[in-house]
Amino acid sequence: MIIEFSPDIRRSTRPFLEDKTEDDLFQIDVRVCSGKPMTIVASRKGFYPAGKRLLLSHSLVSLLQQISRVFDSAYKALMKAFTEHNKFGNLPYGFRANTWVVPPVIADNPSHFPPLPIEDENWGGNGGGQGRDGKHDHRQWAKEFSILAAMPCKTAEERQIRDRKAFLLHSLFVDVSVFKAVAAIKHLMESNKCSPNGPNGTVFHEERIGDLIIRVTRDVPDASMKLDGKNDGGQVLGMSKEELSQRNLLKGITADESATVHDTSTLGVVIVRHCGYTAVVKVPAKVNWEGNPIPQDIDIEDQPEGGANALNVNSLRMLLHKSSTPQASVQRLQSGDFEDSHSARCLVRNVLEESLMKLQGEATKHARSIRWELGACWVQHLQNQASGKTESKKTEETKVEPAVKGLGKQGGLLKEIKKKIDDRSGKAEQGKDATLTNSLDMNKKLDASHLEKQDEEKEMMWRKLLPEAAYLRLKESETGLHLKSPEELIEMAHKYYADTALPKLVADFGSLELSPVDGRTLTDFMHTRGLQMCSLGRVVELADKLPHVQSLCIHEMVVRAYKHILQAVVAAVDNIADLAGSIASCLNILLGTPSTENSDAHISDDDNLKWKWVETFLLKRFGWQWKYENCQDLRKFSILRGLCHKVGLELVPRDYDMDIASPFRKSDIISMVPVYKHVACSSADGRTLLESSKTSLDKGKLEDAVNYGTKALSKLVAVCGPYHRMTAGAYSLLAVVLYHTGDFNQVGA
């Protein structure tokens, strides 16, 4: 069908029927389905048939659909066949600049970043996302989050409806929050009111837009400082580490499919980092309904284009070079590359030295925090253990006494004799133990009354700590956790973390189909299991038979060590005009290779300082001893990619020579883009089905894996739409499962 109806397109040599305007670029001849060729004018505003400017269309396909019925019907048939081939098939969408390298054309003039067609407002595009028009600025976010928490959620159907609305509202909230946070940061940068040497945590800007409370602080140029940049961290929630650990653990062990939606205090938080500033956008968690009943539904628009036009945060980039003509810009940048490198390198060196000194004086052990997902996984583990014991007990009870072959009647006689002897000995022992039993019964009664009193006290304590529904879920989980105090539970959770959760993670990594492939998927793997990235060192030790996992963990630790230095350097720069040069110098120290011959003493010292930082950081933060032979195995481009994603950098796409001391120039650093964090709001039912599919795949139950995977994909498409990252993960897993079943047609689809 594609061959039969695809148009034949070639450059036209015919003269223009009308006078050519400045907007007209060239003409093409298009032949559709062996018909007569049509001359189409390509202009800056779109395409139109020669002599018929009124039929202007933004795309050639839509124009051909207008002027050719044959093409229109063929194109519709093609799209129908495409979607019917696989009911989960995604239609291809336009390219967006959402990676860590910019289009090559930007290198000619780094101060000017022309938008790509799909993001060009002149072509009806934009950087994606909702809320650019300000229509949702004064939306009652707090009330709507509260309504979501009160919506019916007992059945899977009710949860799917609720989860879809929660996803739509939260996505809109995140978009609006990012727009407002970036605008506040840019305003603060332009006013140049804050110094990087101010006290830690000082709020330099605060504003309220409707329900949104925006607080902007300047980052501190100290790479040793552990920044609480989590949306559910103690700084955001206003809690101590101990209170936060208890809160998260209780949330986890009482969690159900609505845990994310019901926790409005973390659902309504977005943290944005950009150009050395951090903005926290919050929505008040408490709502005063003034005695009125809480509504049971909210009115929320569906995402346009099925969510395909999601926010591309790269469109909010901050260009780091001043505007000028292309030739002057390139010449000025090339000359400035060498002029500013010395001062920028000194700045990076000072940040490294001061941060290393503070880190070396820091205690190695820190207070252990707990992610709420750990509690949920722990309860699941205990329930699986209990069900396993029950099944094994039933098996033992139903065991048939083995027959003794070869004894005939004597075998039966032996059994009767044994039974009589057992009965006699039992009666004799009963007489002896009668007195002892009476005294034990008295002690048991006393112990029982004491235990009963303790249980009542703990029940009263739990009812004060937890809502009624959460307490009942904990009690009915049949794990016995409701009989423990919070302090005991925290210790038990840490033991489960170290003895069970981490080894199980490594065992899961043993399946190549489900192994993480980069830092982001590794982080997702660990966080969904309630594991923290500070355990990467322990994962390396446990994964001694999985070198690919060890390599991935080591690279992620190094990326995080470098990230802290780079963020501190960005925070130390006062003038944005110096930012590109400072970043380039920092990357040169972190990723460059000093020459073994005629090496500059300062460059060698900087390199030694860097490795000392890596060694100390990995020991203090990850509890892992760095070995210098690991330097030879580092993939520097992989580290560069991870750094750019975590810090928010866009670079010129060129072949960087990592074997020299200074592979990066000031002109290579084009811009910085915002990096933001928020709660993942999707479908808990869908995630559960995904985990069931993974488990079935590991056990070789392919039919169950396909069944669970298909249901998970359907659920996630219904809640998150076809273009979301969670949905993409479900596609990927289902493709792996189908590959194992041998259904290669569906895998390719």
Side-chain angles (χ1 to χ4, degrees):
M1 184 180 293
I2 297 175
I3 297 173
E4 182 181 353
F5 292 109
S6 60
D8 178 23
I9 303 175
R10 63 187 63 190
R11 187 73 174 259
S12 177
T13 56
R14 301 180 186 184
F16 279 80
L17 292 180
E18 298 177 349
D19 292 338
K20 183 180 178 182
T21 65
E22 292 182 357
D23 289 337
D24 294 333
L25 302 175
F26 55 86
Q27 293 187 134
I28 54 176
D29 290 332
V30 181
R31 186 192 301 272
V32 179
C33 305
S34 302
K36 294 181 179 180
M38 298 174 288
T39 302
I40 306 294
V41 179
S43 73
R44 295 183 187 278
K45 296 181 179 179
F47 301 89
Y48 64 89
K52 300 178 181 179
R53 197 180 295 271
L54 292 176
L55 295 178
L56 180 72
S57 181
H58 287 311
S59 74
L60 183 59
V61 171
S62 59
L63 176 63
L64 292 176
Q65 284 183 279
Q66 290 183 54
I67 62 179
S68 172
R69 290 184 180 179
V70 176
F71 180 85
D72 182 47
S73 59
Y75 184 78
K76 288 179 178 177
L78 176 65
M79 290 296 101
K80 183 181 178 183
F82 183 89
T83 53
E84 288 180 351
H85 181 58
N86 179 2
K87 61 181 178 179
F88 299 119
N90 278 343
L91 293 175
Y93 241 82
F95 173 76
R96 289 183 178 277
N98 57 356
T99 182
W100 58 280
V101 290
V102 298
V105 67
I106 308 301
D108 298 333
N109 188 6
S111 60
H112 178 61
F113 200 113
L116 294 168
I118 198 169
E119 297 179 351
D120 193 342
E121 294 181 1
N122 296 322
W123 290 71
N126 55 43
Q130 299 170 274
R132 291 176 182 268
D133 53 5
K135 187 172 69 174
H136 302 282
D137 287 1
H138 296 279
R139 194 175 185 116
Q140 294 182 317
W141 302 105
K143 285 190 174 182
E144 292 191 325
F145 282 141
S146 180
I147 293 170
L148 283 175
M151 282 181 68
C153 56
K154 291 183 179 179
T155 66
E157 291 75 16
E158 288 176 341
R159 287 195 296 274
Q160 181 168 311
I161 294 170
R162 190 274 316 274
D163 289 346
R164 176 60 179 169
K165 297 207 169 189
F167 173 80
L168 292 173
L169 182 66
H170 187 255
S171 298
L172 177 61
F173 163 69
V174 170
D175 287 353
V176 173
S177 298
V178 171
F179 289 137
K180 299 305 175 187
V182 171
I185 289 173
K186 286 184 177 179
H187 170 73
L188 200 57
M189 292 174 67
E190 290 167 0
S191 62
N192 200 21
K193 290 180 180 178
C194 47
S195 165
N197 298 316
N200 181 30
T202 303
V203 178
F204 288 100
H205 176 81
E206 182 171 349
E207 64 176 307
R208 181 160 187 158
I209 304 173
D211 276 358
L212 301 182
I213 303 170
I214 306 170
R215 293 188 178 94
V216 183
T217 58
R218 181 71 191 264
D219 295 343
V220 181
D222 180 5
S224 68
M225 185 171 292
K226 292 193 71 173
L227 299 175
D228 186 3
K230 299 178 182 177
N231 50 280
D232 58 351
Q235 186 175 346
V236 172
L237 298 177
M239 295 181 176
S240 66
K241 290 183 179 180
E242 292 75 17
E243 291 172 332
L244 185 63
S245 292
Q246 179 173 307
R247 176 193 186 276
N248 286 345
L249 182 58
L250 297 188
K251 176 183 174 181
I253 62 177
T254 60
D256 59 1
E257 296 86 352
S258 304
T260 300
V261 177
H262 286 172
D263 191 1
T264 55
S265 58
T266 58
L267 191 66
V269 177
V270 176
I271 297 177
V272 183
R273 299 194 69 172
H274 190 35
C275 295
Y277 295 82
T278 300
V280 178
V281 185
K282 285 183 66 175
V283 169
K286 295 182 180 179
V287 178
N288 183 11
W289 290 99
E290 299 176 351
N292 298 320
I294 301 177
Q296 292 295 299
D297 200 1
I298 63 170
D299 184 23
I300 180 75
E301 298 175 359
D302 208 345
Q303 289 180 324
E305 304 175 37
N309 196 35
L311 172 62
N312 176 24
V313 74
N314 292 62
S315 64
L316 302 176
R317 62 180 58 84
M318 170 73 74
L319 295 176
L320 302 182
H321 301 284
K322 294 181 180 178
S323 300
S324 60
T325 60
Q327 293 81 5
S329 175
V330 173
Q331 291 174 0
R332 179 174 53 79
L333 286 171
Q334 288 177 348
S335 61
D337 281 339
F338 302 100
E339 293 173 5
D340 302 334
S341 61
H342 179 70
S343 58
R345 202 170 185 102
C346 289
L347 173 70
V348 178
R349 187 182 303 122
N350 290 337
V351 169
L352 253 175
E353 288 175 343
E354 292 176 8
S355 300
L356 178 59
M357 191 182 302
K358 292 179 181 178
L359 186 63
Q360 287 173 332
E362 185 182 285
T364 303
K365 291 188 177 180
H366 302 278
R368 296 176 294 175
S369 58
I370 292 177
R371 293 183 63 90
W372 75 266
E373 296 93 341
L374 180 72
C377 293
W378 184 25
V379 169
Q380 185 67 47
H381 171 72
L382 292 174
Q383 289 175 334
N384 291 342
Q385 271 191 330
S387 62
K389 287 180 181 178
T390 305
E391 289 176 6
S392 61
K393 190 175 181 182
K394 287 180 181 177
T395 306
E396 287 178 8
E397 289 175 355
T398 55
K399 275 185 181 177
V400 180
E401 189 172 350
V404 183
K405 296 182 180 179
L407 293 178
K409 293 181 180 179
Q410 285 79 5
L413 185 62
L414 285 172
K415 285 183 184 178
E416 288 183 14
I417 294 171
K418 182 177 183 299
K419 186 178 179 183
K420 289 178 181 178
I421 292 172
D422 289 343
D423 289 343
R424 288 173 190 167
S425 60
K427 288 178 181 177
E429 287 177 5
Q430 283 178 6
K432 292 178 182 177
D433 295 340
T435 309
L436 182 62
T437 302
N438 291 333
S439 61
L440 287 174
D441 286 343
M442 291 294 293
N443 292 333
K444 282 182 181 179
K445 287 179 181 178
L446 292 172
D447 290 342
S449 61
H450 180 65
L451 289 172
E452 189 176 342
K453 187 178 180 181
Q454 281 187 334
D455 291 347
E456 288 177 358
E457 291 175 355
K458 284 181 179 173
E459 182 174 344
M460 290 176 62
M461 174 198 67
W462 281 115
R463 289 184 183 276
K464 289 179 182 178
L465 288 173
L466 297 172
E468 182 68 18
Y471 171 72
L472 290 177
R473 277 198 303 274
L474 180 62
K475 189 175 182 180
E476 292 167 3
S477 66
E478 298 181 355
T479 57
L481 297 182
H482 67 290
L483 301 176
K484 304 291 182 181
S485 67
E487 293 76 17
E488 290 174 316
L489 287 182
I490 289 174
E491 286 302 315
M492 293 168 66
H494 285 307
K495 182 174 175 55
Y496 162 75
Y497 184 106
D499 297 347
T500 305
L502 280 176
K504 187 177 185 303
L505 174 80
V506 175
D508 290 344
F509 284 165
S511 170
L512 288 175
E513 291 88 355
L514 304 179
S515 286
V517 295
D518 58 11
R520 183 167 187 173
T521 51
L522 174 65
T523 304
D524 288 345
F525 256 81
M526 295 185 68
H527 283 177
T528 53
R529 290 159 174 76
L531 304 177
Q532 300 179 65
M533 301 309 287
C534 62
S535 299
L536 282 176
R538 180 60 181 151
V539 174
V540 173
E541 294 172 356
L542 292 172
D544 55 336
K545 296 181 181 178
L546 301 172
H548 64 289
V549 173
Q550 287 185 320
S551 174
L552 187 59
C553 292
I554 291 171
H555 276 78
E556 183 63 16
M557 288 191 285
V558 172
V559 167
R560 288 172 181 258
Y562 285 179
K563 178 193 75 171
H564 281 264
I565 291 295
L566 189 52
Q567 286 177 337
V569 168
V570 171
V573 178
D574 288 320
N575 190 349
I576 192 172
D578 301 329
L579 204 49
S582 300
I583 292 173
S585 293
C586 186
L587 291 177
N588 285 332
I589 291 177
L590 297 178
L591 297 171
T593 305
S595 173
T596 54
E597 301 176 0
N598 303 322
S599 177
D600 187 338
H602 289 299
I603 293 177
S604 298
D605 291 344
D606 292 343
D607 191 63
N608 293 332
L609 186 63
K610 169 191 67 178
W611 291 121
K612 190 64 179 174
W613 165 261
V614 170
E615 179 185 7
T616 308
F617 189 90
L618 266 59
L619 181 62
K620 297 282 186 178
R621 294 287 186 268
F622 300 103
W624 191 69
Q625 186 65 53
W626 171 259
K627 300 172 184 176
Y628 283 96
E629 53 265 28
N630 292 321
C631 304
Q632 307 301 322
D633 300 326
L634 291 180
R635 301 186 303 275
K636 292 188 177 181
F637 279 100
S638 175
I639 293 173
L640 176 62
R641 174 180 175 271
L643 262 181
C644 290
H645 281 308
K646 290 182 186 296
V647 181
L649 294 180
E650 286 186 318
L651 308 184
V652 168
R654 68 179 182 86
D655 187 12
Y656 295 101
D657 185 1
M658 300 295 190
D659 294 327
I660 62 175
S662 300
F664 300 93
R665 302 190 296 259
K666 177 181 178 180
S667 54
D668 293 328
I669 317 300
I670 299 298
S671 60
M672 291 196 72
V673 298
V675 177
Y676 60 98
K677 292 183 179 181
H678 57 82
V679 168
C681 187
S682 59
S683 167
D685 291 314
R687 292 197 302 272
T688 302
L689 288 166
L690 274 181
E691 289 300 319
S692 299
S693 181
K694 291 176 184 177
T695 304
S696 299
L697 178 62
D698 282 341
K699 293 180 179 179
K701 299 178 180 178
L702 297 182
E703 188 176 342
D704 289 344
V706 172
N707 186 28
Y708 286 129
T710 305
K711 288 180 179 178
L713 184 53
S714 299
K715 185 77 69 176
L716 290 169
V717 168
V719 172
C720 305
Y723 301 101
H724 193 261
R725 192 164 67 93
M726 284 291 296
T727 310
Y731 276 117
S732 178
L733 176 63
L734 187 56
V736 170
V737 174
L738 291 171
Y739 174 82
H740 281 277
T741 64
D743 191 351
F744 302 117
N745 289 331
Q746 280 290 85
V747 172

